[in-house]
Amino acid sequence: LSKPSNKSGLKPLPVVIIGNGPSGICLSYLLSGYTPYFKRETLHPHPILQRKLEEVPEVSILDQDLDYLSEGLEGRSQSPVALLFDTLQRPDTDFGGTAESVLTWKHEPDRAIPHLVLGRNAPGGAWHSIEGSMVTLSRGEWMGLPDLPFKEWLKQTKRGLRNNRATAEDIAQYYQHYVMKKGLQKNFRCGTVVTSVRKVSAKSVSNHAQKDLQENSDSLWNSGEQSTKVFQVDGFFKTLEGDKEPFSVYAENVVLATGTYDNPTWLGVKGENLSYVHHQLSALEKAVKNNSIGIMSDPVLIVGAGLTAADAILFAHNCNIPVIHVFRRRVSDPGLIFNQLPKMMYPEYHKVHQMMKEQTAACAGPYECYISLPEHHVLSFGKDKKCIIQDKNGCQKTYEISMALVLTGSNPNLAFLPNNGIDLAIDSNQPVNPKRNPIDVDPFTYECAQEKGIYALGPLAGDNFVRFVQGGALAVASSLLKKANKNPP
């Protein structure tokens, strides 16, 4: 990979994307001139949408009014554009249907916008950090990116889908393959860590302007009136020798697509920093691999009631490892993810939910090696691996455990933004959080309400499933094309 370098005489890049997971990859695809059109001979199961698509089939979806097209769509996302793009690619997937995508893709290189995608790992982002054997929550086809169905790729690699779902390793490899197959790799710089993004005046840039991480990017971008402010993106590039080489690039627009995998949430209780308390599922898998935990061990304490906690319970259950499961909500709480998943599609998560219901400490149920403690929380972890847990009435119990896994979600790492990005959030007094306090973006452009020229995608903007991050990329690409004036009238 070529290193970032600074030479003189070039304009700022139009777009820098920070993060190379599914959001960043999908946006790079759209900014590389790949343009979606309505495929005329197809029929969308949603009659009103079908009528709208037939009005101007010769105009690309990127150039149409996304607000108008997405009006009246319903589904499992709060974002109208996410629902729109998802239903165009997978028309009736929520009802178990397999109708073909109603989109056709044309490569129109003259509409490409020069951009860079900066990521710490190989393309695929956090999918490379997740234990490879984990089966994902989403069905395989929901993990797919535009115009290269995941199933087709799996067939070519001769792997079957386990009950319709893929492993994390499959997905990580698919994303890498996608970047190569679509010819996007020239826009990707892997092994880069961004340390700062700040606004500077464009004048200071043109004096010592840069040759950025990208070759020959000067001709395509016809900015009529140069903006007076640009963003300076600083960071370092990890070389093969393990050195850190600093770089600086300037961008007219910055897209935040870093996801939330970076910082697992801590409970903030006494003893949480002891060596037997972990905040990632991989710790349990390691302990089982090296036989430090097994059937005869004291129970593993699992804290949390989301899907990662469920994955940990399933993993322990398959290895016959005893589990004590602590979570704050009631089992019947509608906010619990298990109460929102269709049973048919997620039999194993449904099983965890059953266990949580039937297996409370008060009454032993049919599953050995598992106790559920709803409406409880951890008070402290002791050096002797004794853990004190309290119920909602203030009663305390002590349990001897072999290890603890605190799996209560994670927060984005936005340390590279001024004030950790808090000023961009919906509630600017609280840290950015994908579920409770996402970045405040315009629903049809995904541009930050507080800072023009900065966009946010994926979990940062509250879109948490791969199938729904792609609509955000559509919105951003559409907005950037309008700015670049590359939209046909």
Side-chain angles (χ1 to χ4, degrees):
L1 281 175
S2 60
K3 326 192 263 293
S5 61
N6 281 332
K7 298 195 192 103
S8 60
L10 273 183
K11 294 202 284 267
L13 264 177
V15 190
V16 166
I17 301 166
I18 303 173
N20 65 0
S23 301
I25 296 172
C26 186
L27 181 54
S28 175
Y29 178 69
L30 293 166
L31 295 181
S32 298
Y34 289 97
T35 311
Y37 289 87
F38 172 58
K39 205 191 298 176
R40 294 187 187 220
E41 64 282 5
T42 54
L43 196 60
H44 197 283
H46 194 297
I48 298 171
L49 180 58
Q50 175 72 17
R51 247 200 345 267
K52 292 177 182 174
L53 291 167
E54 284 170 349
E55 285 166 14
V56 279
E58 69 288 349
V59 178
S60 135
I61 302 292
L62 281 169
D63 306 323
Q64 293 192 37
D65 179 344
L66 300 179
D67 187 349
Y68 170 66
L69 284 181
S70 59
E71 200 180 4
L73 295 176
E74 289 177 357
R76 292 193 215 157
S77 166
Q78 299 305 304
S79 155
V81 187
L83 290 172
L84 171 67
F85 201 35
D86 185 62
T87 191
L88 293 172
Q89 295 193 89
R90 291 171 275 270
D92 54 358
T93 184
D94 274 333
F95 306 103
T98 51
E100 288 276 284
S101 164
V102 299
L103 295 178
T104 178
W105 293 86
K106 295 182 187 164
H107 192 211
E108 301 174 344
D110 55 319
R111 301 191 64 193
I113 295 180
H115 64 281
L116 271 186
V117 186
L118 308 179
R120 291 168 179 250
N121 302 318
W127 288 97
H128 293 281
S129 327
I130 298 168
E131 192 63 32
S133 59
M134 291 308 307
V135 177
T136 68
L137 162 71
S138 295
R139 291 160 52 183
E141 60 265 32
W142 290 354
M143 310 310 284
L145 292 170
D147 203 33
L148 179 62
F150 182 77
K151 272 200 164 133
E152 281 177 26
W153 174 80
L154 260 188
K155 273 198 202 103
Q156 289 162 4
T157 55
K158 306 278 186 292
R159 292 184 207 167
L161 266 181
R162 237 191 309 183
N163 63 20
N164 242 340
R165 295 224 284 294
T167 66
E169 185 182 7
D170 292 334
I171 291 160
Q173 293 196 341
Y174 164 77
Y175 292 142
Q176 269 184 287
H177 172 81
Y178 186 91
V179 168
M180 298 301 286
K181 176 104 168 124
K182 298 294 184 188
L184 308 178
Q185 62 274 30
K186 62 181 184 306
N187 303 310
F188 280 71
R189 293 291 175 276
C190 303
T192 52
V193 176
V194 171
T195 51
S196 140
V197 172
R198 57 201 172 92
K199 241 176 166 173
V200 294
S201 87
K203 291 208 173 59
S204 66
V205 178
S206 51
N207 298 342
H208 57 266
Q210 93 266 11
K211 166 96 173 109
D212 356 73
L213 303 142
Q214 168 136 8
E215 320 308 312
N216 62 33
S217 64
D218 50 349
S219 56
L220 286 157
W221 186 254
N222 50 2
S223 46
E225 64 278 13
Q226 187 69 26
S227 63
T228 52
K229 290 273 183 219
V230 294
F231 297 97
Q232 179 175 336
V233 180
D234 294 319
F236 58 84
F237 183 80
K238 293 185 292 234
T239 64
L240 293 172
E241 296 76 55
D243 300 327
K244 294 178 177 180
E245 304 225 351
F247 71 84
S248 254
V249 284
Y250 297 93
E252 290 172 18
N253 300 279
V254 171
V255 181
L256 308 173
T258 50
T260 63
Y261 199 72
D262 290 330
N263 291 339
T265 314
W266 282 48
L267 300 171
V269 301
K270 185 169 172 273
E272 195 171 2
N273 53 355
L274 291 167
S275 62
Y276 69 92
V277 182
H278 302 272
H279 296 80
Q280 267 160 340
L281 173 53
S282 49
L284 177 59
E285 295 174 320
K286 266 195 207 98
V288 169
K289 265 193 195 127
N290 63 27
N291 291 328
S292 57
I293 279 190
I295 302 179
M296 305 308 292
S297 310
D298 283 332
V300 171
L301 177 75
I302 294 174
V303 185
L307 296 168
T308 314
D311 282 335
I313 289 161
L314 289 166
F315 182 81
H317 193 67
N318 291 337
C319 305
N320 296 317
I321 289 165
V323 167
I324 296 169
H325 182 199
V326 170
F327 49 101
R328 284 178 173 270
R329 293 178 187 261
R330 299 190 323 277
V331 184
S332 57
D333 187 323
L336 207 62
I337 183 84
F338 306 103
N339 291 319
Q340 302 164 16
L341 295 175
K343 288 177 193 168
M344 291 295 291
M345 272 159 50
Y346 302 104
E348 68 279 55
Y349 289 123
H350 179 57
K351 178 178 180 182
V352 171
H353 195 207
Q354 285 300 108
M355 288 163 65
M356 286 161 68
K357 273 191 230 165
E358 297 172 13
Q359 223 32 46
T360 52
C363 52
Y367 303 99
E368 284 174 49
C369 310
Y370 171 90
I371 307 173
S372 122
L373 300 173
E375 297 184 88
H376 284 64
H377 61 273
V378 174
L379 280 185
S380 66
F381 297 103
K383 290 202 167 69
D384 48 6
K385 295 197 178 179
K386 287 196 170 90
C387 169
I388 302 174
I389 293 169
Q390 179 170 317
D391 71 10
K392 60 175 182 203
N393 305 319
C395 296
Q396 298 178 9
K397 296 192 197 77
T398 302
Y399 289 90
E400 294 205 13
I401 59 174
S402 55
M403 73 187 288
L405 292 173
V406 176
L407 303 172
T408 52
S410 58
N411 291 303
N413 174 5
L414 296 174
F416 58 87
L417 291 175
N419 196 16
N420 288 307
I422 289 174
D423 310 330
L424 304 177
I426 286 178
D427 174 353
S428 55
N429 297 313
Q430 300 288 328
V432 175
N433 176 285
K435 297 204 168 56
R436 291 183 294 283
N437 193 30
I439 290 178
D440 189 3
V441 295
D442 177 296
F444 298 104
T445 64
Y446 278 64
E447 191 165 17
C448 291
Q450 308 304 327
E451 185 69 82
K452 295 291 163 258
I454 288 197
Y455 294 80
L457 277 181
L460 295 178
D463 294 340
N464 288 299
F465 285 109
V466 171
R467 61 185 279 209
F468 294 130
V469 304
Q470 301 176 34
L474 181 78
V476 174
S478 170
S479 168
L480 290 169
L481 278 161
K482 288 189 179 72
K483 284 187 182 180
N485 196 9
K486 295 199 172 200
N487 281 20

